[in-house]
Amino acid sequence: WGTPCDCIHAGLQFIIKEKIDLVVSGINKGWNVSSDIIYSGTIAAAREGFMDGVRSIAFSLDNFEDCEYEVAADIAKEITEKYISEPYTGDYFLNVNIPDCPKEEIKGIKVCGTSGNKHYDENYSIEEEFGVSAVAAAAQVAGGAEAGGAGPAG
């Protein structure tokens, strides 16, 4: 026992006796996009909760060093409150990637699914989305279309 996924599994199966409402994983340093979601402990923890029938969210921040968590925590709180206020269908969990910037620079939220076989190439690009610059790995989807991606994942 020791990975984030193991901890959620142990908690849900052996420690917590009553049904819980929500699993929250993160805030992780660095994006969890494209094929990264396969390897991410942050995503695995949320996925484990989801597979056990619990509404789940994974949060990540687009920075690996000198992260400023205050804005990300505020955004995470807002998204969590919205998520738990909606009826839960049980067919997805959220993977939320938050830009590491002042809150007033965040112009909105983009929801997109995760699908297809994605492979990073060696190029990284700066993409402007909702007025916020974010470093995004260029990903190639089977069939030739380009994609990045943030939750919902499932």
Side-chain angles (χ1 to χ4, degrees):
W1 304 95
T3 67
C5 181
D6 291 336
C7 294
I8 296 300
H9 179 77
L12 294 176
Q13 296 299 316
F14 306 111
I15 298 170
I16 301 169
K17 301 302 179 197
E18 63 277 351
K19 176 87 170 136
I20 66 168
D21 298 321
L22 180 68
V23 167
V24 176
S25 180
I27 299 172
N28 174 70
K29 284 185 176 184
W31 291 115
N32 273 304
V33 297
S34 190
S35 59
D36 289 350
I37 66 168
I38 297 168
Y39 311 105
S40 167
T42 307
I43 301 294
R47 185 174 52 241
E48 183 66 27
F50 164 76
M51 291 184 342
D52 204 34
V54 179
R55 190 184 300 241
S56 300
I57 309 175
F59 289 104
S60 299
L61 189 60
D62 80 331
N63 195 351
F64 286 96
E65 299 175 16
D66 302 322
C67 296
E68 296 294 332
Y69 288 100
E70 188 173 334
V71 171
D74 287 344
I75 299 291
K77 180 179 183 250
E78 291 173 20
I79 290 171
T80 300
E81 288 171 349
K82 174 73 173 159
Y83 184 46
I84 62 176
S85 73
E86 301 290 327
Y88 183 56
T89 60
D91 30 326
Y92 67 93
F93 67 95
L94 297 181
N95 169 28
V96 180
N97 290 282
I98 303 169
D100 189 14
C101 64
K103 191 171 184 179
E104 56 275 2
E105 290 182 23
I106 299 174
K107 305 297 183 203
I109 297 171
K110 182 177 182 180
V111 177
C112 50
T114 301
S115 63
N117 296 319
K118 298 177 179 140
H119 304 283
Y120 286 137
D121 65 19
E122 294 181 8
N123 298 314
Y124 287 81
S125 63
I126 302 295
E127 296 181 358
E128 188 75 17
E129 186 67 46
F130 297 109
V132 176
S133 294
V135 177
Q140 187 68 33
V141 177
E146 296 253 335

